[in-house]
Every structure is written in C-alpha cells, then in structure tokens.
Amino acid sequence: MATRQKLMRAVSVFEFGGPEVLKLQLDVAVPIPKDNQVLIKVHACGVNPVETYIRSGTYSRKPLLPYTPGSDVAGVIEAVGDNASAFKKGDRVFTSSTISGGYAEYTLAADHTVYKLPEKLDFKQGAAIGIPYFTAYRALIHSARVKAGESVLVHGASGGVGLAACQIARAYGLKVLGTAGTEEGQKVVLQNGAHEVFNHREVNYIDKIKTYVGEKGIDVIIEMLANVNLSKDLSLLSQGGRVIVVGNRGTIEINPRDVMTKESSIIGITLFATTKEEFQQYAAALQAGMEIGWLKPVIGSQYPLEKVAQAHENIIHGSGATGKMILLL
C-alpha cells in the first residue's frame, strides 16, 4: 500500500504583486530529499527586503511561479539524501539558501548551504544569520577589503545587515560609526559594535559626522539606501575611500567630480554573485564569530506564518528597523 505523503503549511506565490499575493496553503506536500539535499523542520525563517522585491516581480531574478519565498531558516534536520553525509537527523542547523523555500514548516536545502547551529544560539538567532551576515561579510571583507584601523560608516545600521556589519567590523579592528532613525535603534547600534552613532533623521547629521571624523573622512561606507544617501556618502569619504552599495530602492543624481577628486570608488554587491568557495570561506569566519561570541544576531519583530503579508508590508514601510525580522513556525 502506498504511504500517504505528509502535508505541511507553506506560503505560496502564484503571481507577482503586493504583499497580498503571499498565500498560506495548508496542504502542501512535504518534499523528499535526494542526493546531497537535506530536509529541515523549520522553527524560524528570516524575512529579508530582497524577498519583497522578488515577490513584486521588479527584481532582476524572477523565480518560476508558483514558488515559496525564504532562504534563511533555522531548524532541525528531519531527513537526509543519500549523499548528504555531513548531517544526520536531529542536527540543529541554519541555512544561507533553500531549494523549496523557507516560509514553510519543512524546507529542502543543498547540504553545502546548510551549517551547524551552535547550542548557544537559539532558532530565532539562527534564522537571522543567512543573508544579513553573509552580505555584511562580503561587503566588508571581500568588496571593501577593509584593514584593521580603518574607519567604517554603516549607513542604516539598526537592521539585520547593518547590525551584522557593525559586529563584523568591530571584531576585525575597525573604527565603527553607525546611523539609525530611532532612539531604540541608536541604542542597539552602540550595543553591537559601533563606537559612535548618529540619527539619520536629523537635518544636520552629515555635518555632525564630518565634525566627528575630521579632515580625513571615512574609509569605507556600507550603504543600505543608496537612492537617498549616495551623494552624501561621496562627500564623507576619505582619499581612496569606497562606498559599498548593499541596498537601493530607486534612482539618485550624483556629481562624478566627488569621486574624481578623492579617487574614491562606488562598488555594488549582491549575495547572488557569491561562489560556493566564497560561501565556505565566509561561513568559516562567521562560525568562528559564533564560537568566540562576537556574532550575536539581534531579533526584531516576529510574526507567525499567518501574518506573512503584514511582515512584508512592514519591512519596507515600517518606521525604521531594529534587529532582524523573522517568521516563527
């Protein structure tokens, strides 16, 4: 007699559009891992801004419809494929990518995108590592090639990627400045590696940063909202300084002379361009951060799977992030 396939709850997107296209399905078949795949029972899943762009159909990468969003899950290995020897049932893990989508009770992932979650971190924190920490690491170490002793401004530091960048930069010996738009956000930024924080809602905050850093300027800026800040960033840079564009939601006019006089650089990054080898390198560094204790994800707002549309609405239109937004399963 055929065994009945197990069913699960999962969010499906059948058409691109606003948050309302996220549909909670109650009867999705639980996938079965093959080859080097593992099946994870999901306890928590991170929500990232890029998932809203993909859902809206405006992003450069469009998945085939229907699909389930979500790449950053934390949970427990439920089953493993024949060639996934690195993991066994019951292992606590987190992911940097999934195959079948993370907004679900179970998800499939390739074993090279799955990492052991240390006991000292809970599942919520595990779901906050993936995109934020791998992106922040790529921005600082791979693209900006930061050196100990340099200064870095994390422009928009209180969200998932921003706090990850503050923690990594501090651990690597940089002078860390951050900005946030709320009092709570500023406090969290200071608690997570920044030496100084500025309120980017104040009219004259750029002048305050200039006064603080003096003539030399800032060596590296990690930019979360380039369409608003890029022109200001160029005025803050040191000679040979670089802006790493991590986030952007529109267009902006800049004066290229600002780049010429300082011989500065504007470098864009996307985590999707990261190779398998680079992921393994970043993972080794981040794993060390977990063991030593400087990698400590800060959890922000939490939503049940039923409220996923609200989560997508708030991550874009909320009043300023503090910590990492996650879905709880």
Side-chain angles (χ1 to χ4, degrees), residues 48-63:
N48 295 290
V50 70
E51 287 144 25
T52 70
Y53 312 149
I54 294 169
R55 183 217 68 228
S56 68
T58 57
Y59 197 65
S60 53
R61 293 166 63 92
K62 282 196 183 71

Side-chain angles (χ1 to χ4, degrees), residues 19 21 27 29 43 46 59-60 88 98 149 152 201 224 230 297 305:
V21 303
D27 54 357
H43 286 249
Y59 197 65
S60 53
K88 63 184 186 308
T98 66
V152 60
R201 298 226 165 111
M224 305 302 170
L230 189 56
L305 205 51

Side-chain angles (χ1 to χ4, degrees), residues 39-265:
L39 180 70
I40 300 164
K41 181 171 178 27
V42 179
H43 286 249
C45 181
V47 179
N48 295 290
V50 70
E51 287 144 25
T52 70
Y53 312 149
I54 294 169
R55 183 217 68 228
S56 68
T58 57
Y59 197 65
S60 53
R61 293 166 63 92
K62 282 196 183 71
L64 291 171
L65 294 168
Y67 78 98
T68 294
S71 61
D72 300 354
V73 308
V76 175
I77 298 280
E78 178 75 13
V80 297
D82 296 336
N83 301 325
S85 57
F87 299 98
K88 63 184 186 308
K89 186 176 162 69
D91 285 348
R92 297 171 85 249
V93 294
F94 69 96
T95 66
S96 57
S97 176
T98 66
I99 295 166
S100 60
Y103 295 9
E105 289 180 312
Y106 293 89
T107 190
L108 271 188
D111 61 358
H112 69 272
T113 65
V114 179
Y115 315 91
K116 295 266 173 76
L117 181 65
E119 288 295 335
K120 63 167 82 164
L121 297 182
D122 63 27
F123 290 120
K124 294 176 193 178
Q125 291 174 305
I129 299 170
I131 283 182
Y133 281 86
F134 283 89
T135 299
Y137 190 90
R138 184 172 180 81
L140 285 162
I141 311 299
H142 172 274
S143 300
R145 297 193 166 97
V146 294
K147 297 183 190 77
E150 285 191 315
S151 57
V152 60
L153 170 68
V154 182
H155 212 160
S158 63
V161 181
L163 290 171
C166 289
Q167 291 176 1
I168 294 167
R170 185 64 180 256
Y172 278 71
L174 280 92
K175 175 81 175 175
V176 186
L177 316 180
T179 77
T182 66
E183 207 171 306
E184 186 199 0
Q186 290 176 71
K187 206 167 96 187
V188 171
V189 170
L190 282 175
Q191 287 165 347
N192 285 278
H195 293 89
E196 191 62 59
V197 68
F198 301 87
N199 183 344
H200 54 223
R201 298 226 165 111
E202 285 180 9
V203 181
N204 64 338
Y205 84 98
I206 293 292
D207 295 328
K208 286 186 176 176
I209 296 174
K210 282 181 178 166
T211 304
Y212 182 81
V213 297
E215 291 277 289
K216 185 180 183 302
I218 296 166
D219 299 311
V220 173
I221 299 176
I222 304 298
E223 182 49 66
M224 305 302 170
L225 197 59
N227 55 298
V228 172
N229 298 325
L230 189 56
S231 183
K232 301 178 232 182
D233 290 340
L234 297 178
S235 74
L236 288 169
L237 284 178
S238 63
Q239 198 68 27
R242 46 269 189 228
V243 179
I244 312 298
V245 178
V246 171
N248 181 63
R249 295 178 188 171
T251 57
I252 185 170
E253 190 173 298
I254 62 164
N255 184 349
R257 190 160 293 288
D258 293 340
V259 184
M260 294 159 65
T261 50
K262 291 177 180 172
E263 293 196 325
S264 54
S265 319

